[in-house]
């Protein structure tokens, strides 16, 4: 499966660790492809600098060395969501034919999208542990 990682999942896993960090490790050991779009990459870098300036560069450098595939963002608007800031993430996921968006964002989780499926980290962890 192709999984688009949202910014909040990257922050949870790489800044705080805990369950999201465990999930990311499990995903790296799985057959699933992990993807980040240019939009998410930029947002992640900006959030790191804004909230954790002392360790932003180290965390970002580490993340860029992980087995994540980076994809171009599209200029097309390929979906609608309540939070307009999430539309580029959805558009990139649709454009690159992702199977899953992994996000803790309530707007994504409540959007009831048919494609791609939206899983929270807890939902994805449960899915992987059942296999």
């Amino acid at each position: 499966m192709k999984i688009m990682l949202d910014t909040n999942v990257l922050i949870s896993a790489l800044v705080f660790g805990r369950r999201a960090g465990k999930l990311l490790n499990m995903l790296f050991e799985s057959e699933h492809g992990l993807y980040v779009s240019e939009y998410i990459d930029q947002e992640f870098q900006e959030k790191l600098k804004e909230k954790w300036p002392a360790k932003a560069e180290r965390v970002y450098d580490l993340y860029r060395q992980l087995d994540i595939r980076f994809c171009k963002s599209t200029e097309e608007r390929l979906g609608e969501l309540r939070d307009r800031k999430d539309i580029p993430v959805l558009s990139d996921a649709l454009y690159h034919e992702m199977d899953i968006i992994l996000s803790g964002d309530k707007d994504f989780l409540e959007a009831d999208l048919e494609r791609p499926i939206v899983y929270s980290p807890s939902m994805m962890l449960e899915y992987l542990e059942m296999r």
Side-chain angles (χ1 to χ4, degrees), residues 3-6 9 23 27 100-104 119-121 124:
I3 302 171
M4 178 77 72
L5 303 174
D6 198 5
V9 171
L23 170 61
L27 288 170
I100 295 173
I101 295 175
L102 186 58
S103 177
Y119 280 164
S120 70
M124 190 74 198

Side-chain angles (χ1 to χ4, degrees), residues 1-128:
M1 277 192 263
K2 293 170 69 175
I3 302 171
M4 178 77 72
L5 303 174
D6 198 5
T7 305
N8 57 59
V9 171
L10 293 170
I11 288 171
S12 294
L14 299 172
V15 174
F16 300 111
R18 298 189 206 107
R19 288 178 55 92
K22 176 183 175 183
L23 170 61
L24 204 57
N25 283 330
M26 289 176 75
L27 288 170
F28 285 132
E29 294 172 2
S30 74
E31 71 281 1
H32 305 298
L34 304 179
Y35 293 80
V36 169
S37 69
E38 292 171 328
Y39 178 86
I40 293 168
D41 182 62
Q42 182 179 354
E43 184 179 56
F44 177 59
Q45 190 172 23
E46 289 170 2
K47 292 275 186 208
L48 285 173
K49 287 177 183 176
E50 174 188 330
K51 296 188 180 212
W52 302 279
K55 61 181 175 180
E57 187 175 337
R58 282 180 302 171
V59 172
Y60 186 77
D61 288 345
L62 169 69
Y63 142 84
R64 291 297 294 203
Q65 294 175 35
L66 297 173
D67 187 17
I68 296 173
R69 297 171 186 143
F70 294 90
C71 55
K72 289 205 157 290
S73 287
T74 181
E75 296 294 321
E76 295 180 57
R77 185 181 180 128
L78 300 176
E80 282 300 321
L81 292 168
R82 187 179 68 83
D83 186 349
R84 300 185 80 210
K85 291 188 309 186
D86 292 331
I87 292 172
V89 176
L90 175 59
S91 296
D92 290 344
L94 289 168
Y95 183 79
H96 291 286
E97 299 178 346
M98 296 294 150
D99 299 301
I100 295 173
I101 295 175
L102 186 58
S103 177
D105 187 315
K106 187 174 133 182
D107 288 318
F108 264 124
L109 294 167
E110 294 177 353
D112 199 30
L113 298 171
E114 287 183 32
R115 186 178 137 270
I117 298 168
V118 179
Y119 280 164
S120 70
S122 296
M123 293 163 66
M124 190 74 198
L125 198 52
E126 185 178 313
Y127 167 77
L128 291 173

